[in-house]
Structures are given as structure tokens and as C-alpha cells.
Amino acid sequence: MLAEQAMAESQRLREAIFHSIEQTSNDLRVQQDATNFDFRKRHYEMKRAKEELEYQMKTTKQEISDQEENIRMMENAVHAKSNPLKLAETRLENRTNRPHVELCRDDPQEG
């Protein structure tokens, strides 16, 4: 009878140990799955953020390039108008300061 009790107690302890091991194993598996999910989620977020930043960098570089081209075109336009402007200023100056000639004040003069 004592041996049967010891065997029964031993059997209960083994079952309790087995149950504890199974529960711990299940808990670890659940934690591993949760961790893997969070890693995959974070990886996806980082990849998406990287792609968004790359797209923004590409569009920003394109806009910078477009604006640089606009600046070059404006500089060329200003340069193309500098000689006619000098000519007009010279003619206006000559017209304003005519020696021995009656001075003329008309619409082109007054602008």
C-alpha cells in the first residue's frame, strides 16, 4: 500500500512536471511568435519608410534640377537683355544731355 501511494505520488509529480514543461514550452512558443510578428511588422515599417524617403529624395532632386534649369534660363534671358538695355540707356542719356540742341521732354523721355 505504501509502495502504491509512492508510485501514485510519483505519477502525479511526473504529470505536474510534464504539464509545467508543456505550459512553459507553449508560453515560449507564443512569445516567439509575438516577437517574430513584431520584428516582421517593424521590418515592413522600416522598409516602407525607406522607400518613401527614397521617393521624396528623388522628387526633391528632380525639383532642384528643374529650378536650376529655370535659374540658368533666367540668367541667359537677363544676359540677352543687357546689351539692348545699355543701348537704350545710352540713347536716353544722349537725348537728355544734347549740347546746343533744344531739350526734348516727351513720352519716351519721361517713361
Side-chain angles (χ1 to χ4, degrees), residues 73-85:
M73 289 170 47
M74 286 182 185
E75 287 173 347
N76 290 340
V78 167
H79 181 69
K81 289 176 180 35
S82 66
N83 287 335
L85 177 64

Side-chain angles (χ1 to χ4, degrees), residues 8-56:
E9 183 66 27
S10 175
Q11 181 66 26
R12 272 185 300 199
L13 283 173
R14 273 189 259 132
E15 287 176 5
I17 291 170
F18 179 76
H19 178 67
S20 294
I21 290 172
E22 283 296 314
Q23 184 63 39
T24 304
S25 177
N26 289 339
D27 290 346
L28 286 173
R29 201 171 299 116
V30 167
Q31 187 63 39
Q32 179 185 14
D33 292 343
T35 302
N36 287 341
F37 174 77
D38 288 339
F39 277 140
R40 283 193 306 273
K41 183 179 173 185
R42 182 69 177 155
H43 179 263
Y44 172 76
E45 290 170 354
M46 293 296 289
K47 184 178 177 183
R48 188 163 179 245
K50 177 184 172 260
E51 289 171 354
E52 177 66 26
L53 290 173
E54 287 174 345
Y55 172 76
Q56 288 178 359

